[in-house]
Amino acid sequence: MKWIDKKLIGKQYPDIRFAIEKQRLRFFSKATSQTDPIYFNEEFAKQKGYPSIVAPPTFLTTVGYEKDNPYDFLDELGIEIDRVLSAGQNYIFYNLIFAGDLISMKSRISDIYDKKSGKLQFVEISSEFYNQKTTKVAKSISTLVYR
Amino acid sequence: MYEDIQDLKEDYIFPTSEHAPITRTMLALYAGASGDHNPIHIDIDFAKKAGLTDVIAHGMLIMSMASKSLTDIFSHENIKEIDVKFVSITKIGDRPIFNASVLRKKIHKNKRLLNLKISISDQNGNIKLDGTAKIELSDES
């Protein structure tokens, strides 16, 4: 059994910037079987009073993958991609996100802990999301389990 | 849909909503759309090497189903928090079923705050995702 280095708690990752595009929102909405047209039809969204297509609540997950190698942080933690699964996800929403927004994501490792005498090790990554007006739109905690 | 949404009471159980059974196509599309290209969700050879019998669904796809069920009931802007744990893996052919109930209701000024218990189970009643959601309703919503 390998132990994840707890000294990594507090480590900050470089900010990610992510331009919210209509096409990507439509693709995500199709892939998650959205039926409300605010998530894929710009004209409909505007009729409802939104500036453009609305990002579904869980779309934020895509922002964290916007890197050349979204899994390189696993190398740094010393864990293999085939031993890691999502254990939990928390989102707190402050403002909606629309096509045309430019989102900045700030992430850090907020906790590393184990259960069952280390058979399961958990890594918590906390993130904050801001739009181009520097309005905080959401925060999240993603928990990964290393099995 | 719920004309009496302002009058939801504690312990109210929402009608369940069923999602489409998990297929390989869904996982491929979700991998592309989300950017989560972890091969454990799309490459059976890789999944087998990882000790699984087949690919498994992305946890976040299952959370997206729960989120979709919530936005079917409530306006998106009324959903303030979703907090879930992925309790067990979801396989090809599993039929995700969304369950929700009102845990607590608080009235604060002109706002009604609902704390919901939410879960996704499969066709055999096995829990896949378990958590809570916070909803804030104002008089006009």
Side-chain angles (χ1 to χ4, degrees):
Chain A
M1 181 183 66
K2 264 192 304 194
W3 287 96
I4 301 171
D5 186 359
K6 291 192 178 167
K7 286 201 200 81
L8 289 166
I9 297 172
K11 183 196 157 59
Q12 301 207 353
Y13 292 106
D15 291 3
I16 294 178
R17 284 164 65 83
F18 188 105
I20 307 286
E21 293 167 341
K22 284 182 251 184
Q23 292 89 340
R24 186 68 181 276
L25 287 181
R26 279 199 285 265
F27 185 20
F28 187 85
S29 295
K30 182 181 181 187
T32 56
S33 308
Q34 302 298 329
T35 49
D36 187 339
I38 64 168
Y39 298 124
F40 49 83
N41 182 327
E42 185 175 36
E43 207 174 307
F44 183 90
K46 283 184 170 169
Q47 278 168 13
K48 289 279 174 181
Y50 301 116
S52 185
I53 296 174
V54 182
T58 58
F59 183 76
L60 283 170
T61 187
T62 65
V63 178
Y65 292 107
E66 188 69 6
K67 311 189 230 188
D68 291 342
N69 179 3
Y71 306 104
D72 54 3
F73 75 103
L74 294 177
D75 296 339
E76 193 178 60
L77 290 163
I79 61 187
E80 308 82 22
I81 191 171
D82 60 342
R83 312 301 306 170
V84 66
L85 290 172
S86 297
Q89 180 67 48
N90 173 284
Y91 283 122
I92 295 178
F93 305 105
Y94 303 109
N95 287 98
L96 299 194
I97 297 170
F98 307 101
D101 282 352
L102 181 63
I103 300 298
S104 301
M105 176 186 188
K106 294 178 185 298
S107 294
R108 66 192 164 84
I109 298 179
S110 48
D111 205 2
I112 297 172
Y113 56 93
D114 65 279
K115 288 181 184 169
K116 299 186 182 171
S117 316
K119 275 190 193 143
L120 296 174
Q121 297 180 67
F122 295 85
V123 178
E124 273 186 15
I125 298 181
S126 295
S127 305
E128 296 186 332
F129 300 85
Y130 298 84
N131 67 16
Q132 64 281 7
K133 297 171 209 149
T134 65
T135 303
K136 196 195 245 188
V137 288
K139 66 179 184 180
S140 76
I141 302 173
S142 305
T143 308
L144 303 174
V145 58
Y146 178 50
R147 61 198 171 96
Chain B
M1 186 182 342
Y2 295 83
E3 284 173 31
D4 55 347
I5 206 158
Q6 297 287 356
D7 299 321
L8 287 170
K9 303 271 191 304
E10 287 188 2
D11 301 325
Y12 175 76
I13 299 171
F14 292 87
T16 58
S17 59
E18 258 194 62
H19 293 267
I22 303 294
T23 64
R24 294 172 202 284
T25 304
M26 277 166 86
L27 301 188
L29 283 177
Y30 183 78
S34 68
D36 183 350
H37 302 167
N38 185 336
I40 208 158
H41 305 300
I42 41 181
D43 182 339
I44 190 169
D45 303 324
F46 185 93
K48 283 181 175 167
K49 269 189 234 159
L52 301 167
T53 53
D54 199 350
V55 293
I56 56 172
H58 302 75
M60 286 305 297
L61 173 61
I62 308 304
M63 184 177 188
S64 296
M65 292 174 168
S67 158
K68 199 264 175 191
S69 291
L70 284 171
T71 55
D72 283 347
I73 305 172
F74 301 100
S75 295
H76 183 149
E77 40 273 88
N78 293 339
I79 300 170
K80 300 301 178 187
E81 179 172 351
I82 309 177
D83 186 51
V84 304
K85 286 190 165 49
F86 303 107
V87 194
S88 63
I89 58 175
T90 306
K91 297 175 175 174
I92 302 289
D94 280 353
R95 284 191 289 115
I97 300 162
F98 174 79
N99 314 277
S101 59
V102 180
L103 275 178
R104 272 188 302 281
K105 178 181 183 178
K106 277 193 285 189
I107 296 177
H108 181 70
K109 293 183 183 165
N110 61 341
K111 294 206 164 96
R112 289 157 182 78
L113 308 171
L114 299 177
N115 203 336
L116 307 185
K117 176 177 165 52
I118 60 170
S119 66
I120 296 258
S121 51
D122 67 11
Q123 64 281 7
N124 301 315
N126 297 317
I127 306 285
K128 304 294 179 186
L129 170 155
D130 191 24
T132 57
K134 287 186 181 148
I135 311 293
E136 191 178 290
L137 302 168
S138 51
D139 285 341
E140 59 275 15
S141 55

